[in-house]
Amino acid sequence: GPRGDEARPRRGGAGAGGQRSPGARRSQRGRAMGAAAGGPPGTAPGQQLRALFYALPPGESSFRTVEEVPDYVEKSIPFFITFIGLEFAVSWIQKRKLPGRINDGISSLSLGILSRLPDVLFRSIELISYIHVWNNYRLCELPWDSPWTWYLTLLGVDFAYYCFHRMSHEVNILWAAHQVHHSSEDYNLFTALRQSLLQKYTSWMFNLPMALFIPPSVFAVHLQFNLLYQFWIHTEVITKLGPLEWILNTPSHHRVHHGRNPYCIDKNYGGTLIIWDRIFGTFEAEDAKVVYGLTHPVNSFDPIMLQLSPLAHIWNTFWATPGFCNKLSVIFKGPGWGPGKPRLGLPEEIPMITGKEVPFNPHVPAYLNFYALVHFAVIVDLYTELLASVTTLSQETVLLRIGFIILSLASFGLLMENKSKAGILEIIRCLIFIGVYKLGYFKSQFSFLSYAYEVRY
């Protein structure tokens, strides 16, 4: 969430004579609603729910400084869980089957946790870079409390996302980071949380032009809203949304984007709006049944493997490709490029879909699935406790907890693949957990952990 330095406008939000503008009064009402609900400004439960659908109007989501902007993403976690449960229920009613698998779900959530761990140590590079440009190079200053500024930022953030997202599919080094999000062969709300560890370190530059005139506090709101909107469109239980399909990115449009069918490749890049795809010729309507995942599946549930294997592939291809210009093309042209091919590769080389594709799904005993679920829940609890207490912990304790979380996620991935070395790694992980838990470096809200530890020792 936004934790950048304070962005102080040169001119305050009050008009002549100290009178607040109408936008400022609306923003004040929004902050009061959040405070009345017992939470930070702008974080009443109803507001959080509407933020998930980009349905908070300017009067409830305009703030003078970045510090006032709520962490809408973190506050939406209960709604993520609720909607995932609702998706499971609806899918069972509609199709008599669940929308995903345990191994793929744990893999998606592991990648989501892994992608957020740098934020425990460092402030958001997207906000830090934006605020730096705003403080030193802005050309003019749009009023933070104006609805026009709010709607302009909505368009600006979504267009910047379209540009970045398209480049992430058309530039190999960017695709190496982004492909993590596409690696699932299921399509459900877990997939929305399947995020790249590295992507944020390239996406920030696409937002910088807005820093020349749009206040950081307004940008920080829309950066979160654009991300939150894309959560609920990762589902198969919603079919079509009527006339909204012409303007908004919808589950139907985004299913196409996640498909590996030839007609789905490099289509529908929009975040909140689909108008950019319609304007720039990258739109494709949902037609034949979509088969999800990468054209060349990685076939792994190990979050470390999924994050790093594309970079290893680029490294090996770079050194195996003759000629300096060709080596640069390996990095900066499309993932399908090769010497003598167009920039984005040859469409006929995209593997055809037969309809008989079987997702990567190693057989794992039921007891092992249950074991992985229980221990993964403990790690999620440790992760949320780390987020809540990071400001009170020493740097060594934070690093120790992050290291253990990474080790655990990797171990769970190997367990889901039923690898022979998974058992040894898991024994080592559990021994480390017992040691550091006894020393007081870990805390958990699961009371049975303390009880079990006391019984054991």
Side-chain angles (χ1 to χ4, degrees):
R3 294 196 299 255
D5 296 329
E6 181 176 1
R8 292 186 175 88
R10 289 172 182 163
R11 295 181 296 277
Q19 296 296 315
R20 289 187 177 272
S21 66
R25 289 194 292 270
R26 286 191 296 270
S27 179
Q28 183 68 25
R29 287 198 299 272
R31 290 194 290 272
M33 288 172 63
T43 58
Q47 291 177 310
Q48 285 296 144
L49 178 60
R50 286 183 285 135
L52 202 62
F53 297 92
Y54 224 129
L56 270 184
E60 295 181 56
S61 55
S62 297
F63 305 91
R64 182 190 298 273
T65 66
V66 171
E67 284 71 22
E68 294 179 64
V69 177
D71 191 337
Y72 290 105
V73 174
E74 183 178 338
K75 300 293 182 182
S76 294
I77 290 177
F79 290 106
F80 293 163
I81 297 171
T82 301
F83 278 108
I84 288 172
L86 184 62
E87 181 188 37
F88 270 68
V90 173
S91 179
W92 182 258
I93 293 171
Q94 289 179 341
K95 307 175 183 178
R96 285 297 183 269
K97 71 173 187 178
L98 298 179
R101 298 164 291 151
I102 291 176
N103 47 23
D104 191 79
I106 289 179
S107 177
S108 292
L109 293 176
S110 295
L111 288 162
I113 292 173
L114 191 62
S115 72
R116 300 282 290 182
L117 287 179
D119 295 336
V120 176
L121 297 172
F122 312 107
R123 292 181 175 183
S124 167
I125 187 173
E126 291 172 307
L127 279 174
I128 290 296
S129 58
Y130 192 98
I131 291 170
H132 176 76
V133 173
W134 167 264
N135 285 338
N136 295 283
Y137 304 106
R138 69 180 181 264
L139 302 178
C140 64
E141 181 179 323
L142 297 181
W144 64 270
D145 56 351
S146 167
W148 291 105
T149 304
W150 195 95
Y151 288 111
L152 177 64
T153 310
L154 183 158
L155 293 174
V157 167
D158 201 59
F159 180 65
Y161 178 81
Y162 171 86
C163 295
F164 163 71
H165 197 184
R166 184 169 179 174
M167 288 299 99
S168 294
H169 281 253
E170 297 184 358
V171 176
N172 202 16
I173 192 66
L174 300 183
W175 171 248
H178 182 64
Q179 62 83 37
V180 172
H181 182 60
H182 286 263
S183 59
S184 174
E185 295 176 277
D186 294 339
Y187 187 76
N188 50 44
L189 295 178
F190 283 125
T191 310
L193 305 176
R194 190 183 192 95
Q195 297 295 325
S196 168
L197 174 67
L198 303 172
Q199 183 171 290
K200 68 183 72 176
Y201 300 106
T202 55
S203 62
W204 57 272
M205 61 187 74
F206 290 82
N207 295 312
L208 294 186
M210 289 182 286
L212 298 176
F213 54 93
I214 292 176
S217 60
V218 185
F219 168 74
V221 167
H222 288 275
L223 186 66
Q224 295 185 81
F225 284 1
N226 191 274
L227 177 65
L228 288 172
Y229 179 90
Q230 295 178 58
F231 169 73
W232 68 271
I233 62 177
H234 289 82
T235 185
E236 290 188 294
V237 301
I238 298 174
T239 52
K240 298 279 188 176
L241 294 179
L244 295 178
E245 301 278 336
W246 287 95
I247 301 172
L248 298 177
N249 192 13
T250 64
S252 176
H253 297 330
H254 206 58
R255 284 193 290 269
V256 172
H257 179 72
H258 273 260
R260 61 181 183 182
N261 312 54
Y263 86 93
C264 298
I265 302 299
D266 297 339
K267 300 296 182 181
N268 298 359
Y269 296 114
T272 300
L273 305 172
I274 203 66
I275 58 174
W276 315 116
D277 291 284
R278 296 185 182 277
I279 292 171
F280 296 109
T282 53
F283 173 75
E284 189 70 43
E286 188 175 21
D287 187 9
K289 178 176 173 56
V290 178
V291 177
Y292 304 107
L294 302 170
T295 56
H296 299 89
V298 179
N299 289 340
S300 176
F301 297 121
D302 179 359
I304 309 301
M305 173 73 170
L306 289 167
Q307 295 279 0
L308 299 181
S309 62
L311 293 173
H313 175 71
I314 290 179
W315 175 265
N316 294 331
T317 306
F318 177 88
W319 291 110
T321 302
F324 179 73
C325 290
N326 284 337
K327 289 183 184 296
L328 291 180
S329 295
V330 169
I331 298 174
F332 296 110
K333 289 188 178 180
W337 177 86
K341 298 178 183 178
R343 181 176 68 89
L344 299 181
L346 297 170
E348 56 266 27
E349 292 185 350
I350 299 172
M352 296 301 297
I353 296 300
T354 65
K356 299 179 180 179
E357 287 75 17
V358 178
F360 176 64
N361 195 30
H363 174 71
V364 175
Y367 74 86
L368 199 55
N369 277 327
F370 179 75
Y371 174 91
L373 278 173
V374 171
H375 281 256
F376 184 76
V378 173
I379 292 303
V380 171
D381 178 61
L382 290 175
Y383 168 70
T384 54
E385 201 277 331
L386 173 62
L387 292 180
S389 60
V390 63
T391 56
T392 65
L393 301 174
S394 68
Q395 192 78 348
E396 293 77 13
T397 301
V398 171
L399 292 174
L400 179 62
R401 293 189 182 189
I402 289 176
F404 182 76
I405 289 173
I406 294 173
L407 173 65
S408 299
L409 299 179
S411 181
F412 299 152
L414 295 179
L415 283 174
M416 293 295 94
E417 296 176 27
N418 210 4
K419 292 287 183 69
S420 57
K421 58 184 177 182
I424 297 175
L425 181 60
E426 183 62 14
I427 290 172
I428 295 173
R429 187 191 74 86
C430 289
L431 291 174
I432 293 174
F433 177 83
I434 291 172
V436 294
Y437 194 81
K438 180 180 180 181
L439 294 173
Y441 286 103
F442 289 169
K443 292 182 179 180
S444 174
Q445 298 181 39
F446 291 121
S447 58
F448 72 83
L449 287 178
S450 298
Y451 176 75
Y453 181 83
E454 293 299 328
V455 170
R456 174 68 179 83
Y457 291 95

